[in-house]
mmCIF file with all atom_site columns, all heavy atoms in Angstrom:
data_model
loop_
_atom_site.group_PDB
_atom_site.id
_atom_site.type_symbol
_atom_site.label_atom_id
_atom_site.label_alt_id
_atom_site.label_comp_id
_atom_site.label_asym_id
_atom_site.label_entity_id
_atom_site.label_seq_id
_atom_site.pdbx_PDB_ins_code
_atom_site.Cartn_x
_atom_site.Cartn_y
_atom_site.Cartn_z
_atom_site.occupancy
_atom_site.B_iso_or_equiv
_atom_site.pdbx_formal_charge
_atom_site.auth_seq_id
_atom_site.auth_comp_id
_atom_site.auth_asym_id
_atom_site.auth_atom_id
_atom_site.pdbx_PDB_model_num
ATOM 1   N N   . SER T 1 39 ? 3.864  44.175 -5.650  1.00 0.00 ? 63 SER T N   1
ATOM 2   C CA  . SER T 1 39 ? 3.520  42.689 -5.900  1.00 0.00 ? 63 SER T CA  1
ATOM 3   C C   . SER T 1 39 ? 2.319  42.321 -4.974  1.00 0.00 ? 63 SER T C   1
ATOM 4   O O   . SER T 1 39 ? 2.056  42.817 -3.775  1.00 0.00 ? 63 SER T O   1
ATOM 5   C CB  . SER T 1 39 ? 4.780  41.992 -5.455  1.00 0.00 ? 63 SER T CB  1
ATOM 6   O OG  . SER T 1 39 ? 4.398  40.489 -5.180  1.00 0.00 ? 63 SER T OG  1
ATOM 7   N N   . TYR T 1 40 ? 1.580  41.430 -5.475  1.00 0.00 ? 64 TYR T N   1
ATOM 8   C CA  . TYR T 1 40 ? 0.506  40.863 -4.687  1.00 0.00 ? 64 TYR T CA  1
ATOM 9   C C   . TYR T 1 40 ? 0.881  40.054 -3.531  1.00 0.00 ? 64 TYR T C   1
ATOM 10  O O   . TYR T 1 40 ? 0.190  40.031 -2.424  1.00 0.00 ? 64 TYR T O   1
ATOM 11  C CB  . TYR T 1 40 ? -0.562 40.029 -5.578  1.00 0.00 ? 64 TYR T CB  1
ATOM 12  C CG  . TYR T 1 40 ? -1.787 39.450 -4.936  1.00 0.00 ? 64 TYR T CG  1
ATOM 13  C CD1 . TYR T 1 40 ? -2.869 40.295 -4.666  1.00 0.00 ? 64 TYR T CD1 1
ATOM 14  C CD2 . TYR T 1 40 ? -1.714 38.145 -4.407  1.00 0.00 ? 64 TYR T CD2 1
ATOM 15  C CE1 . TYR T 1 40 ? -3.964 39.793 -4.100  1.00 0.00 ? 64 TYR T CE1 1
ATOM 16  C CE2 . TYR T 1 40 ? -2.845 37.567 -3.823  1.00 0.00 ? 64 TYR T CE2 1
ATOM 17  C CZ  . TYR T 1 40 ? -3.969 38.400 -3.602  1.00 0.00 ? 64 TYR T CZ  1
ATOM 18  O OH  . TYR T 1 40 ? -5.102 37.925 -2.919  1.00 0.00 ? 64 TYR T OH  1
ATOM 19  N N   . GLU T 1 41 ? 1.993  39.423 -3.642  1.00 0.00 ? 65 GLU T N   1
ATOM 20  C CA  . GLU T 1 41 ? 2.599  38.514 -2.752  1.00 0.00 ? 65 GLU T CA  1
ATOM 21  C C   . GLU T 1 41 ? 3.447  39.148 -1.785  1.00 0.00 ? 65 GLU T C   1
ATOM 22  O O   . GLU T 1 41 ? 3.637  38.690 -0.520  1.00 0.00 ? 65 GLU T O   1
ATOM 23  C CB  . GLU T 1 41 ? 3.220  37.305 -3.393  1.00 0.00 ? 65 GLU T CB  1
ATOM 24  C CG  . GLU T 1 41 ? 2.504  36.604 -4.415  1.00 0.00 ? 65 GLU T CG  1
ATOM 25  C CD  . GLU T 1 41 ? 1.365  35.694 -3.639  1.00 0.00 ? 65 GLU T CD  1
ATOM 26  O OE1 . GLU T 1 41 ? 1.486  35.489 -2.461  1.00 0.00 ? 65 GLU T OE1 1
ATOM 27  O OE2 . GLU T 1 41 ? 0.369  35.289 -4.427  1.00 0.00 ? 65 GLU T OE2 1
ATOM 28  N N   . ASN T 1 42 ? 4.181  40.213 -2.144  1.00 0.00 ? 66 ASN T N   1
ATOM 29  C CA  . ASN T 1 42 ? 5.183  40.888 -1.322  1.00 0.00 ? 66 ASN T CA  1
ATOM 30  C C   . ASN T 1 42 ? 5.153  42.271 -1.433  1.00 0.00 ? 66 ASN T C   1
ATOM 31  O O   . ASN T 1 42 ? 5.507  42.869 -2.547  1.00 0.00 ? 66 ASN T O   1
ATOM 32  C CB  . ASN T 1 42 ? 6.550  40.320 -1.767  1.00 0.00 ? 66 ASN T CB  1
ATOM 33  C CG  . ASN T 1 42 ? 7.831  40.761 -1.040  1.00 0.00 ? 66 ASN T CG  1
ATOM 34  O OD1 . ASN T 1 42 ? 7.591  41.545 -0.111  1.00 0.00 ? 66 ASN T OD1 1
ATOM 35  N ND2 . ASN T 1 42 ? 8.906  40.477 -1.433  1.00 0.00 ? 66 ASN T ND2 1
ATOM 36  N N   . PRO T 1 43 ? 4.729  43.017 -0.275  1.00 0.00 ? 67 PRO T N   1
ATOM 37  C CA  . PRO T 1 43 ? 4.757  44.496 -0.543  1.00 0.00 ? 67 PRO T CA  1
ATOM 38  C C   . PRO T 1 43 ? 6.133  45.081 -0.572  1.00 0.00 ? 67 PRO T C   1
ATOM 39  O O   . PRO T 1 43 ? 6.172  46.379 -0.861  1.00 0.00 ? 67 PRO T O   1
ATOM 40  C CB  . PRO T 1 43 ? 4.010  44.905 0.898   1.00 0.00 ? 67 PRO T CB  1
ATOM 41  C CG  . PRO T 1 43 ? 4.505  43.761 1.744   1.00 0.00 ? 67 PRO T CG  1
ATOM 42  C CD  . PRO T 1 43 ? 4.450  42.641 0.874   1.00 0.00 ? 67 PRO T CD  1
ATOM 43  N N   . PHE T 1 44 ? 7.122  44.397 -0.346  1.00 0.00 ? 68 PHE T N   1
ATOM 44  C CA  . PHE T 1 44 ? 8.460  44.959 -0.431  1.00 0.00 ? 68 PHE T CA  1
ATOM 45  C C   . PHE T 1 44 ? 9.053  44.894 -1.935  1.00 0.00 ? 68 PHE T C   1
ATOM 46  O O   . PHE T 1 44 ? 10.110 45.385 -2.247  1.00 0.00 ? 68 PHE T O   1
ATOM 47  C CB  . PHE T 1 44 ? 9.503  44.273 0.436   1.00 0.00 ? 68 PHE T CB  1
ATOM 48  C CG  . PHE T 1 44 ? 9.074  44.574 1.827   1.00 0.00 ? 68 PHE T CG  1
ATOM 49  C CD1 . PHE T 1 44 ? 8.373  43.648 2.603   1.00 0.00 ? 68 PHE T CD1 1
ATOM 50  C CD2 . PHE T 1 44 ? 9.639  45.722 2.545   1.00 0.00 ? 68 PHE T CD2 1
ATOM 51  C CE1 . PHE T 1 44 ? 7.968  43.994 3.991   1.00 0.00 ? 68 PHE T CE1 1
ATOM 52  C CE2 . PHE T 1 44 ? 9.377  45.989 3.894   1.00 0.00 ? 68 PHE T CE2 1
ATOM 53  C CZ  . PHE T 1 44 ? 8.507  45.165 4.594   1.00 0.00 ? 68 PHE T CZ  1
ATOM 54  N N   . LEU T 1 45 ? 8.178  44.257 -2.866  1.00 0.00 ? 69 LEU T N   1
ATOM 55  C CA  . LEU T 1 45 ? 8.590  44.095 -4.214  1.00 0.00 ? 69 LEU T CA  1
ATOM 56  C C   . LEU T 1 45 ? 7.589  44.873 -5.129  1.00 0.00 ? 69 LEU T C   1
ATOM 57  O O   . LEU T 1 45 ? 6.443  44.507 -5.035  1.00 0.00 ? 69 LEU T O   1
ATOM 58  C CB  . LEU T 1 45 ? 8.770  42.633 -4.614  1.00 0.00 ? 69 LEU T CB  1
ATOM 59  C CG  . LEU T 1 45 ? 8.972  42.444 -6.069  1.00 0.00 ? 69 LEU T CG  1
ATOM 60  C CD1 . LEU T 1 45 ? 10.408 42.868 -6.497  1.00 0.00 ? 69 LEU T CD1 1
ATOM 61  C CD2 . LEU T 1 45 ? 8.892  40.811 -6.431  1.00 0.00 ? 69 LEU T CD2 1
ATOM 62  N N   . TRP T 1 46 ? 8.041  45.752 -5.995  1.00 0.00 ? 70 TRP T N   1
ATOM 63  C CA  . TRP T 1 46 ? 7.209  46.544 -6.844  1.00 0.00 ? 70 TRP T CA  1
ATOM 64  C C   . TRP T 1 46 ? 7.564  46.237 -8.268  1.00 0.00 ? 70 TRP T C   1
ATOM 65  O O   . TRP T 1 46 ? 8.762  46.105 -8.539  1.00 0.00 ? 70 TRP T O   1
ATOM 66  C CB  . TRP T 1 46 ? 7.232  48.008 -6.571  1.00 0.00 ? 70 TRP T CB  1
ATOM 67  C CG  . TRP T 1 46 ? 6.781  48.426 -5.186  1.00 0.00 ? 70 TRP T CG  1
ATOM 68  C CD1 . TRP T 1 46 ? 6.399  47.704 -4.101  1.00 0.00 ? 70 TRP T CD1 1
ATOM 69  C CD2 . TRP T 1 46 ? 6.430  49.816 -4.805  1.00 0.00 ? 70 TRP T CD2 1
ATOM 70  N NE1 . TRP T 1 46 ? 5.936  48.546 -3.117  1.00 0.00 ? 70 TRP T NE1 1
ATOM 71  C CE2 . TRP T 1 46 ? 5.949  49.762 -3.434  1.00 0.00 ? 70 TRP T CE2 1
ATOM 72  C CE3 . TRP T 1 46 ? 6.707  51.037 -5.415  1.00 0.00 ? 70 TRP T CE3 1
ATOM 73  C CZ2 . TRP T 1 46 ? 5.590  50.900 -2.784  1.00 0.00 ? 70 TRP T CZ2 1
ATOM 74  C CZ3 . TRP T 1 46 ? 6.274  52.175 -4.730  1.00 0.00 ? 70 TRP T CZ3 1
ATOM 75  C CH2 . TRP T 1 46 ? 5.745  52.060 -3.351  1.00 0.00 ? 70 TRP T CH2 1
ATOM 76  N N   . PHE T 1 47 ? 6.628  46.105 -9.118  1.00 0.00 ? 71 PHE T N   1
ATOM 77  C CA  . PHE T 1 47 ? 6.744  45.889 -10.561 1.00 0.00 ? 71 PHE T CA  1
ATOM 78  C C   . PHE T 1 47 ? 6.598  47.255 -11.263 1.00 0.00 ? 71 PHE T C   1
ATOM 79  O O   . PHE T 1 47 ? 5.671  47.982 -10.971 1.00 0.00 ? 71 PHE T O   1
ATOM 80  C CB  . PHE T 1 47 ? 5.818  44.895 -11.199 1.00 0.00 ? 71 PHE T CB  1
ATOM 81  C CG  . PHE T 1 47 ? 5.886  43.504 -10.457 1.00 0.00 ? 71 PHE T CG  1
ATOM 82  C CD1 . PHE T 1 47 ? 4.820  43.029 -9.723  1.00 0.00 ? 71 PHE T CD1 1
ATOM 83  C CD2 . PHE T 1 47 ? 7.011  42.767 -10.441 1.00 0.00 ? 71 PHE T CD2 1
ATOM 84  C CE1 . PHE T 1 47 ? 4.830  41.843 -9.168  1.00 0.00 ? 71 PHE T CE1 1
ATOM 85  C CE2 . PHE T 1 47 ? 7.120  41.585 -9.766  1.00 0.00 ? 71 PHE T CE2 1
ATOM 86  C CZ  . PHE T 1 47 ? 5.952  41.025 -9.170  1.00 0.00 ? 71 PHE T CZ  1
ATOM 87  N N   . GLY T 1 48 ? 7.511  47.580 -12.188 1.00 0.00 ? 72 GLY T N   1
ATOM 88  C CA  . GLY T 1 48 ? 7.461  48.744 -13.019 1.00 0.00 ? 72 GLY T CA  1
ATOM 89  C C   . GLY T 1 48 ? 7.701  48.573 -14.452 1.00 0.00 ? 72 GLY T C   1
ATOM 90  O O   . GLY T 1 48 ? 8.419  47.559 -14.889 1.00 0.00 ? 72 GLY T O   1
ATOM 91  N N   . VAL T 1 49 ? 7.320  49.585 -15.223 1.00 0.00 ? 73 VAL T N   1
ATOM 92  C CA  . VAL T 1 49 ? 7.589  49.594 -16.697 1.00 0.00 ? 73 VAL T CA  1
ATOM 93  C C   . VAL T 1 49 ? 7.547  51.051 -17.072 1.00 0.00 ? 73 VAL T C   1
ATOM 94  O O   . VAL T 1 49 ? 6.735  51.845 -16.674 1.00 0.00 ? 73 VAL T O   1
ATOM 95  C CB  . VAL T 1 49 ? 6.537  48.807 -17.484 1.00 0.00 ? 73 VAL T CB  1
ATOM 96  C CG1 . VAL T 1 49 ? 5.150  49.210 -17.309 1.00 0.00 ? 73 VAL T CG1 1
ATOM 97  C CG2 . VAL T 1 49 ? 6.897  48.808 -19.081 1.00 0.00 ? 73 VAL T CG2 1
ATOM 98  N N   . ILE T 1 50 ? 8.634  51.415 -17.876 1.00 0.00 ? 74 ILE T N   1
ATOM 99  C CA  . ILE T 1 50 ? 8.695  52.785 -18.314 1.00 0.00 ? 74 ILE T CA  1
ATOM 100 C C   . ILE T 1 50 ? 8.472  52.707 -19.871 1.00 0.00 ? 74 ILE T C   1
ATOM 101 O O   . ILE T 1 50 ? 9.255  52.011 -20.613 1.00 0.00 ? 74 ILE T O   1
ATOM 102 C CB  . ILE T 1 50 ? 9.847  53.521 -18.025 1.00 0.00 ? 74 ILE T CB  1
ATOM 103 C CG1 . ILE T 1 50 ? 9.928  54.861 -18.520 1.00 0.00 ? 74 ILE T CG1 1
ATOM 104 C CG2 . ILE T 1 50 ? 11.211 52.741 -18.320 1.00 0.00 ? 74 ILE T CG2 1
ATOM 105 C CD1 . ILE T 1 50 ? 11.020 55.794 -18.049 1.00 0.00 ? 74 ILE T CD1 1
ATOM 106 N N   . PHE T 1 51 ? 7.512  53.589 -20.412 1.00 0.00 ? 75 PHE T N   1
ATOM 107 C CA  . PHE T 1 51 ? 7.450  53.903 -21.874 1.00 0.00 ? 75 PHE T CA  1
ATOM 108 C C   . PHE T 1 51 ? 8.081  55.186 -22.098 1.00 0.00 ? 75 PHE T C   1
ATOM 109 O O   . PHE T 1 51 ? 7.612  56.250 -21.750 1.00 0.00 ? 75 PHE T O   1
ATOM 110 C CB  . PHE T 1 51 ? 5.961  53.967 -22.284 1.00 0.00 ? 75 PHE T CB  1
ATOM 111 C CG  . PHE T 1 51 ? 5.263  52.619 -22.308 1.00 0.00 ? 75 PHE T CG  1
ATOM 112 C CD1 . PHE T 1 51 ? 4.835  52.065 -21.115 1.00 0.00 ? 75 PHE T CD1 1
ATOM 113 C CD2 . PHE T 1 51 ? 4.932  51.973 -23.442 1.00 0.00 ? 75 PHE T CD2 1
ATOM 114 C CE1 . PHE T 1 51 ? 4.206  50.756 -21.058 1.00 0.00 ? 75 PHE T CE1 1
ATOM 115 C CE2 . PHE T 1 51 ? 4.273  50.735 -23.515 1.00 0.00 ? 75 PHE T CE2 1
ATOM 116 C CZ  . PHE T 1 51 ? 3.955  50.179 -22.282 1.00 0.00 ? 75 PHE T CZ  1
ATOM 117 N N   . VAL T 1 52 ? 9.256  55.091 -22.711 1.00 0.00 ? 76 VAL T N   1
ATOM 118 C CA  . VAL T 1 52 ? 10.016 56.325 -22.779 1.00 0.00 ? 76 VAL T CA  1
ATOM 119 C C   . VAL T 1 52 ? 9.625  57.224 -23.889 1.00 0.00 ? 76 VAL T C   1
ATOM 120 O O   . VAL T 1 52 ? 9.408  56.811 -25.099 1.00 0.00 ? 76 VAL T O   1
ATOM 121 C CB  . VAL T 1 52 ? 11.639 55.926 -23.123 1.00 0.00 ? 76 VAL T CB  1
ATOM 122 C CG1 . VAL T 1 52 ? 12.499 57.304 -23.125 1.00 0.00 ? 76 VAL T CG1 1
ATOM 123 C CG2 . VAL T 1 52 ? 12.171 55.004 -22.076 1.00 0.00 ? 76 VAL T CG2 1
ATOM 124 N N   . ARG T 1 53 ? 9.271  58.612 -23.608 1.00 0.00 ? 77 ARG T N   1
ATOM 125 C CA  . ARG T 1 53 ? 8.557  59.439 -24.467 1.00 0.00 ? 77 ARG T CA  1
ATOM 126 C C   . ARG T 1 53 ? 9.391  60.417 -25.184 1.00 0.00 ? 77 ARG T C   1
ATOM 127 O O   . ARG T 1 53 ? 9.009  61.117 -26.073 1.00 0.00 ? 77 ARG T O   1
ATOM 128 C CB  . ARG T 1 53 ? 7.495  60.169 -23.779 1.00 0.00 ? 77 ARG T CB  1
ATOM 129 C CG  . ARG T 1 53 ? 6.462  59.301 -23.176 1.00 0.00 ? 77 ARG T CG  1
ATOM 130 C CD  . ARG T 1 53 ? 5.441  60.019 -22.294 1.00 0.00 ? 77 ARG T CD  1
ATOM 131 N NE  . ARG T 1 53 ? 4.235  59.180 -21.865 1.00 0.00 ? 77 ARG T NE  1
ATOM 132 C CZ  . ARG T 1 53 ? 3.212  59.623 -21.162 1.00 0.00 ? 77 ARG T CZ  1
ATOM 133 N NH1 . ARG T 1 53 ? 3.356  60.979 -20.700 1.00 0.00 ? 77 ARG T NH1 1
ATOM 134 N NH2 . ARG T 1 53 ? 2.243  58.836 -20.777 1.00 0.00 ? 77 ARG T NH2 1
ATOM 135 N N   . GLY T 1 54 ? 10.717 60.420 -24.889 1.00 0.00 ? 78 GLY T N   1
ATOM 136 C CA  . GLY T 1 54 ? 11.642 61.428 -25.598 1.00 0.00 ? 78 GLY T CA  1
ATOM 137 C C   . GLY T 1 54 ? 13.106 60.954 -25.427 1.00 0.00 ? 78 GLY T C   1
ATOM 138 O O   . GLY T 1 54 ? 13.444 60.003 -24.591 1.00 0.00 ? 78 GLY T O   1
ATOM 139 N N   . GLY T 1 55 ? 14.002 61.857 -26.004 1.00 0.00 ? 79 GLY T N   1
ATOM 140 C CA  . GLY T 1 55 ? 15.402 61.485 -25.858 1.00 0.00 ? 79 GLY T CA  1
ATOM 141 C C   . GLY T 1 55 ? 15.891 60.372 -26.679 1.00 0.00 ? 79 GLY T C   1
ATOM 142 O O   . GLY T 1 55 ? 15.190 59.828 -27.564 1.00 0.00 ? 79 GLY T O   1
ATOM 143 N N   . MET T 1 56 ? 17.180 59.852 -26.336 1.00 0.00 ? 80 MET T N   1
ATOM 144 C CA  . MET T 1 56 ? 17.805 58.989 -27.133 1.00 0.00 ? 80 MET T CA  1
ATOM 145 C C   . MET T 1 56 ? 17.162 57.457 -27.069 1.00 0.00 ? 80 MET T C   1
ATOM 146 O O   . MET T 1 56 ? 17.187 56.726 -27.947 1.00 0.00 ? 80 MET T O   1
ATOM 147 C CB  . MET T 1 56 ? 19.254 58.767 -26.733 1.00 0.00 ? 80 MET T CB  1
ATOM 148 C CG  . MET T 1 56 ? 20.131 59.956 -27.140 1.00 0.00 ? 80 MET T CG  1
ATOM 149 S SD  . MET T 1 56 ? 21.915 59.793 -26.711 1.00 0.00 ? 80 MET T SD  1
ATOM 150 C CE  . MET T 1 56 ? 21.860 60.240 -25.037 1.00 0.00 ? 80 MET T CE  1
ATOM 151 N N   . TYR T 1 57 ? 16.418 57.331 -25.981 1.00 0.00 ? 81 TYR T N   1
ATOM 152 C CA  . TYR T 1 57 ? 15.767 56.099 -25.739 1.00 0.00 ? 81 TYR T CA  1
ATOM 153 C C   . TYR T 1 57 ? 14.229 56.190 -26.131 1.00 0.00 ? 81 TYR T C   1
ATOM 154 O O   . TYR T 1 57 ? 13.488 55.187 -25.703 1.00 0.00 ? 81 TYR T O   1
ATOM 155 C CB  . TYR T 1 57 ? 15.956 55.651 -24.226 1.00 0.00 ? 81 TYR T CB  1
ATOM 156 C CG  . TYR T 1 57 ? 17.299 55.270 -23.903 1.00 0.00 ? 81 TYR T CG  1
ATOM 157 C CD1 . TYR T 1 57 ? 18.220 56.203 -23.668 1.00 0.00 ? 81 TYR T CD1 1
ATOM 158 C CD2 . TYR T 1 57 ? 17.827 53.935 -24.034 1.00 0.00 ? 81 TYR T CD2 1
ATOM 159 C CE1 . TYR T 1 57 ? 19.561 55.945 -23.273 1.00 0.00 ? 81 TYR T CE1 1
ATOM 160 C CE2 . TYR T 1 57 ? 19.086 53.612 -23.630 1.00 0.00 ? 81 TYR T CE2 1
ATOM 161 C CZ  . TYR T 1 57 ? 19.930 54.516 -23.214 1.00 0.00 ? 81 TYR T CZ  1
ATOM 162 O OH  . TYR T 1 57 ? 21.291 54.272 -22.921 1.00 0.00 ? 81 TYR T OH  1
ATOM 163 N N   . LYS T 1 58 ? 13.772 57.141 -26.886 1.00 0.00 ? 82 LYS T N   1
ATOM 164 C CA  . LYS T 1 58 ? 12.429 57.267 -27.154 1.00 0.00 ? 82 LYS T CA  1
ATOM 165 C C   . LYS T 1 58 ? 11.750 55.947 -27.762 1.00 0.00 ? 82 LYS T C   1
ATOM 166 O O   . LYS T 1 58 ? 12.504 55.457 -28.704 1.00 0.00 ? 82 LYS T O   1
ATOM 167 C CB  . LYS T 1 58 ? 12.195 58.429 -28.082 1.00 0.00 ? 82 LYS T CB  1
ATOM 168 C CG  . LYS T 1 58 ? 10.727 58.774 -28.450 1.00 0.00 ? 82 LYS T CG  1
ATOM 169 C CD  . LYS T 1 58 ? 10.546 59.895 -29.384 1.00 0.00 ? 82 LYS T CD  1
ATOM 170 C CE  . LYS T 1 58 ? 9.221  60.051 -29.780 1.00 0.00 ? 82 LYS T CE  1
ATOM 171 N NZ  . LYS T 1 58 ? 8.992  61.363 -30.583 1.00 0.00 ? 82 LYS T NZ  1
#
Side-chain angles (χ1 to χ4, degrees):
S63 161
Y64 181 80
E65 303 290 342
N66 179 7
F68 294 91
L69 177 65
W70 294 11
F71 303 117
V73 59
I74 177 171
F75 287 75
V76 185
R77 296 178 172 178
M80 289 184 278
Y81 293 84
K82 183 178 180 180

